[in-house]
Amino acid sequence: MANQLCIVLDFGGQYNQLIARRVRECGVYCEIKRFDTPIDEIKALDPKGIIFTGGPNSVYDETSPHISKEIFDIGVPILGICYGCQLMAYTLGGTVESCEKSEYGKIEVTHTGSGVLFGGVPEKSVVWMSHTDYVSRLPEGFTVTAHSDDCPCAAFENKERKLHAVQFHPEVTHSQFGREILHNFLYDVCGFTGDWVMDDFIETTVAKLREQIGDKKVILGLSGGVDSSVAAGLLSRAVGKQLTCVFVDQGLMRKDEGDFVEETFTKLFDMNFVRVNCKDKFLKELKGVTDPEQKRKIIGTEFYNVFWNKIREEGAQGFFAQGTIYPDRIESGKGAKAGQGSTAVIKTHHNMVKMPDDIKFEGTIEPLADLFKDEVRAVGEKLGIPHELVWRQPFPGPGLGVRIIGEITEEKIKILQEADAVFRDEIHKCGIESELKQFFAVLPDVHTVGVMGDHRTYDHLIAIRAVTIDDFMTADWARIPYDVLARVSNRLCNEVDHVNRVVYDITSKPPGTVEWE
Ligand code: XMP
């Protein structure tokens, strides 16, 4: 049976995926749709609740995303958040004005005690506000349920029509009782029963996969990353040896990582595991190449050449599986303007690869296509995939290739793998691993003079990089304690051959990028 559905209508706000995550944390299945999704399409999906997200625009701006009044008449409860709250008021005949003093940050609101959304919430609580317009007059039939010093309609409702709105952001953790407010909307207003449970997901997905695949074969490209690993785990549970995983090891993974992936999937799971070791071929193609873009291009092109050739060899029978996850395929309304329709920004489907025309499968299977990253991780843990793999930090497709500046050689790969392993080991030991989003070593192709015993050395410099990231656009260099840096430096110079100097990269993004190439 299909899960009960909540639709998040995306008006371009920065927290939209967060809203969807919070809804799912409440045990309710939810999907994000563009603000201009036709009403008939929405009705056909039979949602039990709809949430309008925030957005950067003003409702009075002609180019702002608007919505037909009809949506309020289809009988589905609606919660408007921030811009969504203003849009609800404006569309139904209320008034929205520019704030004399815009509210930004943590603000205290007081609720009246009558609002359904505020059940169990103290009379005064702190919420997260970020708005320059506000609702100054409510549409007919609505009543104010909360206010702040500068915002007379911080929340309002039309109980009968099940229309609710909050000017603040209940989805961010700074809103003290945000979770309760969303929960109240989903359960007390919409009447969800909370049927979105991860254990059910594994069971129902495995059953669906079995039915879809029957006695046919499935091929999956395994990268060693979280998504493809979890997809492999699910498929293995569903069809065992009918599944073949193709793992291309170009020799640019971290120390022992290729062996770890092979061991995990051959020992823990029932499947055919095909490892293609092609380090020599890659090194040949990369010989003498120093330009970063050219290196990336060669690594990417070669990877897919090897991969598709292996698929041709194995025979393209049955289905092709991929580890696509929900954020890969969301069509975001971010920056979308009315009238631009589908030409507005669409998120790049980075997990979706173009298949050569001569390779023809019966269909594609994406068992994780509805899940967010942390849900994928939860499924991975439940499937028994090792913690290190499930919580693996992001690792670029071109692997260590973007961390070796200049020509890539076997010797440099070895030095970098060893150095990176030492750094990761120290971070792991000092217990700050979970605070960092990424941490790794870089080989900048710089030699410096040093002294070892009585000898002068002229050897490699290693740079270490550790970042905390707010999103993919920004990152801050991590304030690793000096004593940890001291141990890392000491170990690198003593344990890794050809390293005589260590520097720590203290560049944030922007202006730097996370990777060096
Ligand atoms: P930058 O270096 O652009 O990296 O600040 C942002 C994030 O993306 C990862 N990254 C890549 N991931 N293929 C990938 O799959 C790539 O070519 C690539 N380049 C960078 C990087 O590790 C960081 O998480």
Side-chain angles (χ1 to χ4, degrees):
M1 211 182 72
N3 291 98
Q4 296 173 331
L5 173 69
C6 173
I7 289 181
V8 171
L9 273 191
D10 181 358
F11 288 92
Q14 56 179 323
Y15 304 126
N16 300 348
Q17 288 208 21
L18 195 56
I19 297 175
R21 283 292 304 115
R22 295 282 179 256
V23 171
R24 290 200 187 176
E25 278 166 16
C26 288
V28 171
Y29 180 67
C30 133
E31 288 195 12
I32 301 175
K33 297 280 171 202
R34 287 176 54 100
F35 72 91
D36 53 2
T37 306
I39 304 271
D40 283 345
E41 208 176 292
I42 293 178
K43 279 204 252 179
L45 291 166
D46 192 25
K48 271 185 88 64
I50 297 175
I51 298 179
F52 291 181
T53 74
N57 308 68
S58 165
V59 289
Y60 286 110
D61 188 343
E62 256 181 44
T63 57
S64 295
H66 287 103
I67 194 149
S68 157
K69 217 172 162 176
E70 230 187 295
I71 189 105
F72 300 102
D73 296 325
I74 62 176
V76 178
I78 298 177
L79 170 65
I81 295 177
C82 196
Y83 176 81
C85 149
Q86 294 161 13
L87 190 69
M88 183 185 289
Y90 169 80
T91 313
L92 293 174
T95 311
V96 176
E97 289 178 53
S98 273
C99 303
E100 258 173 43
K101 197 171 126 209
S102 60
E103 284 184 308
Y104 183 79
K106 290 181 181 177
I107 305 280
E108 188 180 77
V109 291
T110 307
H111 75 85
T112 58
S114 63
V116 185
L117 297 188
F118 293 90
V121 177
E123 186 190 358
K124 288 182 191 299
S125 67
V126 170
V127 298
W128 185 257
M129 291 272 200
S130 173
H131 65 115
T132 46
D133 283 357
Y134 76 108
V135 176
S136 55
R137 188 178 57 81
L138 294 183
E140 223 181 287
F142 281 77
T143 49
V144 171
T145 53
H147 69 271
S148 70
D149 284 350
D150 294 302
C151 186
C153 308
F156 51 89
E157 69 181 14
N158 182 325
K159 227 179 253 175
E160 234 167 66
R161 296 179 69 189
K162 300 193 173 189
L163 302 178
H164 296 260
V166 288
Q167 180 55 66
F168 52 88
H169 289 273
E171 70 277 18
V172 303
T173 48
H174 304 303
S175 289
Q176 269 180 320
F177 294 90
R179 197 172 286 250
E180 285 75 3
I181 289 169
L182 282 175
H183 194 278
N184 289 341
F185 173 70
L186 296 167
Y187 286 81
D188 298 345
V189 180
C190 307
F192 280 101
T193 54
D195 60 358
W196 175 246
V197 187
M198 269 301 135
D199 286 323
D200 293 357
F201 172 84
I202 295 180
E203 254 174 55
T204 51
T205 307
V206 164
K208 263 195 258 170
L209 287 171
R210 279 193 189 131
E211 195 184 331
Q212 185 181 5
I213 298 165
D215 58 0
K216 299 203 169 113
K217 294 192 166 180
V218 189
I219 287 192
L220 172 86
L222 192 67
S223 69
V226 187
D227 306 340
S228 62
S229 296
V230 175
L234 271 174
L235 282 159
S236 157
R237 188 172 282 197
V239 296
K241 286 247 165 6
Q242 287 164 249
L243 168 69
T244 299
C245 286
V246 176
F247 172 54
V248 176
D249 185 352
Q250 14 63 320
L252 293 169
M253 297 188 87
R254 286 169 291 202
K255 189 183 176 190
D256 300 330
E257 203 165 20
D259 295 343
F260 174 65
V261 172
E262 177 169 356
E263 207 178 289
T264 301
F265 287 96
T266 49
K267 288 209 173 130
L268 290 182
F269 292 96
D270 185 28
M271 63 168 68
N272 297 304
F273 186 89
V274 179
R275 177 170 175 178
V276 192
N277 288 316
C278 47
K279 184 179 183 180
D280 293 345
K281 186 166 169 16
F282 271 67
L283 284 177
K284 208 167 131 211
E285 295 293 332
L286 288 163
K287 197 167 168 48
V289 182
T290 55
D291 177 66
E293 280 312 304
Q294 214 188 333
K295 275 159 56 180
R296 262 176 194 271
K297 210 166 152 201
I298 292 172
I299 296 171
T301 312
E302 268 310 299
F303 179 89
Y304 282 111
N305 282 343
V306 172
F307 179 68
W308 295 124
N309 279 338
K310 194 73 205 170
I311 301 274
R312 287 185 185 100
E313 233 178 78
E314 293 288 319
Q317 303 158 29
F319 295 93
F320 181 68
Q322 302 195 97
T324 313
I325 68 170
Y326 189 53
D328 297 334
R329 65 186 187 94
I330 294 175
E331 287 190 14
S332 170
K334 203 162 264 190
K337 300 216 166 123
Q340 283 186 331
S342 58
T343 59
V345 184
I346 293 175
K347 200 165 182 266
T348 320
H349 295 191
H350 72 81
N351 263 341
M352 300 180 186
V353 291
K354 167 132 182 38
M355 194 177 294
D357 292 338
D358 66 301
I359 299 181
K360 290 188 172 57
F361 283 94
E362 276 179 41
T364 304
I365 292 179
E366 293 171 333
L368 307 174
D370 290 332
L371 300 192
F372 284 101
K373 195 81 172 188
D374 43 357
E375 293 173 321
V376 172
R377 292 202 162 105
V379 172
E381 301 256 21
K382 281 193 200 301
L383 287 170
I385 297 175
H387 186 85
E388 316 173 45
L389 231 167
V390 168
W391 290 95
R392 190 174 97 140
Q393 52 174 308
F395 189 60
L400 299 183
V402 292
R403 296 176 184 168
I404 294 173
I405 315 304
E407 186 186 7
I408 299 171
T409 63
E410 179 138 30
E411 192 207 9
K412 287 188 195 169
I413 296 175
K414 173 101 177 102
I415 295 171
L416 184 57
Q417 281 178 333
E418 294 297 330
D420 187 67
V422 167
F423 182 37
R424 283 192 290 136
D425 182 49
E426 279 302 324
I427 292 293
H428 179 69
K429 279 185 189 150
C430 75
I432 58 170
E433 203 165 349
S434 60
E435 291 164 36
L436 308 176
K437 283 286 176 0
Q438 268 177 289
F439 50 99
F440 52 85
V442 178
L443 192 69
D445 206 22
V446 169
H447 283 66
T448 71
V449 173
V451 57
M452 189 82 80
D454 292 335
H455 301 283
R456 173 189 182 277
T457 58
Y458 187 59
D459 246 326
H460 277 285
L461 164 80
I462 282 283
I464 49 179
R465 177 95 167 123
V467 292
T468 54
I469 307 180
D470 284 330
D471 51 59
F472 285 110
M473 306 307 289
T474 62
D476 195 10
W477 61 276
R479 275 42 167 190
I480 295 181
Y482 277 0
D483 55 339
V484 178
L485 289 174
R487 277 201 301 277
V488 172
S489 161
N490 199 23
R491 280 190 62 190
L492 287 175
C493 292
N494 281 303
E495 293 175 27
V496 184
D497 284 346
H498 301 296
V499 171
N500 70 351
R501 191 178 295 268
V502 180
V503 294
Y504 185 43
D505 181 351
I506 52 167
T507 323
S508 292
K509 173 184 179 177
T513 48
V514 174
E515 303 291 347
W516 275 37
E517 278 198 344

